[in-house]
Amino acid sequence: MKRYLILEDGTVFPGEGFGSSIITTGQLVISNNRTGIEQSVTDPNTEGQILAFTIPSVGSSGINRDFYESINSQCKGVVIGSSSLSTVDNSVSFEDWIAGLKIPGIKNVDVRALSKHIAEHGEMKASIMDTHDEHAMDQIKALVLPPDLVKRVSTKQSYPNPNMGLKIVIVDLGLKYSTLRQLSYRNCNSVIVNYNSTADEIENLHPDGIIYSNGPGDPKDLPNTIKTIQILQKKYPLLGIGLGNLLIALANDCQIERLAQPHHESSLAVKEVASGKIDFVNHNHSYTLDQKYIGSSDFIVTNVCVADGSIEGIRHEYLPIMCVLFEPEAAPGPTDGYYVFDEFIDLIDSVKQQEGARSQWN
Amino acid sequence: MAKEIIDGQTMTRALTRITYEIIERNKGIEDLVLIGIKTRGVFVAHRIESRLKQLENINIPVAELDITPYRDDQTHEEKDISKVKTNPLDIDINDKHVILTDDVLYTGRTIRAAMDALMSAGRPKKISLAVLVDRGHRELPIRADFVGKNIPTSQKEKIKVSMKEIDGEDKIEIE
Amino acid sequence: MELEDVHTILIIGPTSSDKNVDLSTVLYDTVSILHQLGYKVSIIVEDPTSLLSSGSFYDKTIVEKVSGDNVLKYVQKHHPDAILPTVGDRNALGIISSLNGKIGVTKVLGPNFAASLATFKREMFIKRLTKANLPVIKFISSDDEKEIYSFIRSIGFPIVARRRYSNRHSSGWTNINNLFELDNFMAMEDISDTKIEIERSIRGFSEYSFTILRDRFDNSSLVGTIEDIEPIGIHHLDSNLISPAISLNDSKLQRLRNFSIKLARAFNIIGICTVHFAYNHVTNESYITEFIPRLSEETKFLEYATSYPVATAVAELCLGYRLDKLQLDAGSPFNGATEPFVDHITSRFPQWKTPGQKYLGPSKTSDSSIIVNGFSLEEVLNKGALNDKFNNNFDRYNELRKLDDDELFEKIIHPTNWMLDVLLEALRRKFEKPVLSEITGINLPYLTALQNIIDNSLIIREGEVDGKNVERMVEMGVKGVGHSKLLLDSSDIVTKTVVKNKQSVSVANNEFMNHNYFVTSGISNELKLSDCKKIIVRTPIITSKTDVMIRQFVLFQLSKSIDQNGLEPIIIGREPWNAPLVMRRKVIEIDDPHMEIKGLGLIDNDSILNIIDLSKNLVDTDDKRVFQFSSQKVKDIELEGNTLVRVMVVSDGKNYLAPAVIYRAKRDDHLYEISSINNFMTPEDRADIAELINQELEENDHVDIYSFEIIKNHDHWLVTKKYRGMTSDIIRHELASSVHVIDTLVKLLLGNKIDDNLSLEKIFDNFDEKYLLTIDSKRYKLLDKDEIQAKLNELRKSEK
């Protein structure tokens, strides 16, 4: 059945509907992930988003529940070019899977033209509809994207991911399961808490380190979380990922800015400034840190994106704080970024050693 | 039979981490001086220096220290102070924070000899120690401030550090 | 940053074996960037006509058998700082492995001794990979029965086995699935004097290939992935290839990527490394079957598929450059640290010279290939393997229809190069897809794509293409529908035939301008042309290797000439052509397998000055701007002679130039050919031949090129063959004169004229400084003026 993807600025892209037949509107994000459809669609970051995948023959690699990044999908819609109804591993087809998740989809769209348009005109809202008349345009223009995206995806109730090692508290801003997988692999005894948890609540868990996860939306919508960071950072080692990174930066008088071309790719090169080493990592962020403020701040830049020179990682000069804008847990994407978790653990260990040494000499 | 226990990537990441820690624990690094103990300690010093340069855009002086004249684990017959040449340190360490660097910290005697050499060359404000590997079994009260990796070993085992600059590749083996 | 102590480099060039794939563009790019970066490059090569006119870049061109001895001789005499084997095919790696310890301080760039040796020595390959914890198939070679059976017990069935004889030859691999077949195999021959080689069978596993670029600082990037439609058991280059590998999910992709990087690290390969995998999607077993630490047919394919300048990057990486600090040319920096993102499918379909069915196996049988682009599997299949113009699929369909089910089944079990047509027929007869997939080892998505194609061809045959399904037809690459009235009359926004750029939109793809386009389906066109006037060059499908080299040379020279004359070259072909990097950014290249460009009206007719057509048969003979480049025989007199010349002539309708004269002499059963002898002709010869040409061209009144064969018969010259157009002689003149011919042609097509009343010296003038002596069409010598004069004198003495 013919459906249309209509953008906020009036551009129309024809295609064929699949999945749910409802009309949907959301922030259109062009994803250049080479693989990892399951991960992308179930990523809590997709709250309120319509995801457009630019790879060809979507679905032929199969759908595997093992690769979910959250229990369900928050995605508002998917847009693809060609799809394959068969898979190499006899799993459910992509179209059936999307239908099962009750997400509206549109296929056979000219995603090349779409991604070019967005690259030229910037990210914008879009709708998947059955007609493209004026009524449709009014509906899109009227939609205001909710400012509480993190509230919708953050866990309401704290829950543990128990293990025998370091105690890590993760502030869930849109946490992906793969982050927990990486921590489990390193035996971290984790507790995952709601984004609005107070400093006291977190301190009562006696963490060895605190992680602020990636998440959807604008960091400026989370003033309380920023205040909490300002309190906690004086006492605990912090790791900020994506949105977490932006919040920590804002908590320390840095400014953020939108990227000229947002990073939604499963494999983009990031250079570690200290050693010059290039790693390929997963990116899913539209913001970066404003270079002008970093110089005068107490942060040093630890990673930059090779392609466009934007800041991808920072570290505090004397507090045990490290942050990255990319997704070190991959899923999808190359696993070159796993070292970030090892680095965080080393950071926690060295802080402990310091405290131990300090208490000895006092 | 040598067995690789730390590969090249882990080794370089450890050096990067040491660099971050040096920045974190020193409010300002302008008065830092890196002194590497020959031979591989010098490479460790240079690698830390190049990372500091990339991160903070500042040139930290690096010098080499040849401590063979000062080692106390040579037998008395071997060591004859009058015949030994002390190589002068070619940078000024007065009032500076010296970070001594070496590849492996073991009994601590090499470090003690290094400190003797430093003291006779000037009066540093502070001396810190950065090592790539701490293998335990200290015989003197000496502690590293920055450690790449802690590797527990038995005294029968040998730790072999290979560095690209001189051995062609980076790795740490135990045999 | 780059290696400090390398200034002079010896490149080990390709041999002239027909089995080699054509790497001329890759070689050109390699030498071009090294030359621009200031390195002194020499090359040892067997056939200098394969150098694609890069001759001026070399300090020394050694035309000799590319063997270990000759390379060693060069090294001992000239002491180059380094040897680069990446463009010399397998032979170069063999040479490198034999030079271990013999070349003193000369460095080996790219793959070192160990890596080169491991591509030949199975035991070393397995040992190194096992040590690095990489998955490799266990293998045994033994004449000890106990050892053999113990090994079989440890790995289980299915296995493959072969015999290795004492003279180093071996039998083919036999598949053994059970004890019965094992007993049969062991009973076949006596075990004495032969070794039996056994390994786990990976027959039916899916085949993938990953290509990694790595710099000396251990930065690696995955440049491209390829998957085979046909499984292991059929040679990689006889299979239909798809890039990127769409059937790999994230977990599989990252696993194989990590293995590939680990392998490159284990051998410390700097430059490029392609790793081949066998993967079983049911058991998730994966094995590395081989690795190729050099440029190859696959890397050439990936360079086109991803638009990443692979050859240029590899040359620089081998010289020690950092992956993110490369140069496109001396002065344009470029970030090579990207894993190119491709949003469409590029596919390579093998081609065979003769039309019948051929059984396929582990050894390569195909002769050439065709590349197609598309946004869906159906589209690339329809434009490529199932494109009747390439493969006579209608004939195949008719033949296969006649087979009964059993005969058809036999063709399914024993794969042939008609596999896709066989599967189409099987699907038509409602054979079940999962069963077909299980037997053939071809993954389901391909079978489903074939099924979709069948369903659509039914619609087309029944004449039921309407407003509802026409867009699907266009998306599937069905010819002729994309600009039909149905679509053009529609008031809605519709999917139609458009032209898209090969390069996708990605944060990292912004650096290099790409002008490779392909005709496909979509809602908008991306063709960007300049304001200059244009000359269009149309190219046909090429099947023979010589023709491929000729096409490479001709297209390259035509583009250069057109560009130098201030116009925009547009190359349109039924299959794509990747220009050497230096021209890639100036030439508009469009892949148009269904020849639909004309109907799209995207190129303003008034801006097209000329159309040069390289096809054998012209389709539009009424457009006055069309110039047919390929040759037609106009005269053929059966006359043999021991001495003859072949002359290439360019005429403007009134006057002509003959810049290329080849001399051929048959002496004592050997055939000697000298190109060119323009500067050595006697005034009498010039006058005689000029007279003959004048006669032949009397009726010619327009711009044209001719090729003459003129035999010396009892002191007279006689024209025995006349061709209108360019013959394969053009490649003989890979030196200056051919370039001159093409350049003159372009100038004449643009309206320039040859001066009147030119002297004979001026007519036969050419700029060659080095001359090519070809012996028996397979041995070559590159000689200077004096040496050629001496040879010519010798040959002339025995003229009859």
Side-chain angles (χ1 to χ4, degrees), chain B residues 9 164 168, chain C residues 216 218 265:
Chain B
Q9 293 90 293
K164 235 190 196 139
Chain C
R216 67 186 172 117
D218 196 28
R265 203 176 269 151

Side-chain angles (χ1 to χ4, degrees), chain A residues 2 4 16 32 34-35 54 82 86 108 110 112 132 261 265 267 269 278 280 306 332-336, chain C residues 219-221 250 254 257-258 335 337 339 341 343 375 448 471-472 492 500-501 505-507 510 522-523 526:
Chain A
K2 193 156 186 177
Y4 301 90
E16 206 178 307
N32 279 345
R34 291 142 178 77
T35 47
T54 46
S82 63
S86 280
N108 296 333
D110 186 344
R112 165 68 72 84
H132 58 102
Q261 203 177 346
E265 286 191 36
S267 179
I278 292 170
F280 286 90
V306 185
T335 58
D336 295 358
Chain C
N219 297 315
S220 306
S221 113
D250 187 59
Q254 304 314 333
R257 175 181 181 276
N258 286 337
N335 162 34
E339 297 198 334
F341 175 69
D343 62 357
F375 280 99
T448 307
E471 287 173 277
R472 298 292 85 71
D492 200 357
K500 297 277 192 198
N501 192 304
V505 181
S506 151
V507 176
N510 291 330
I523 60 171
E526 291 182 354

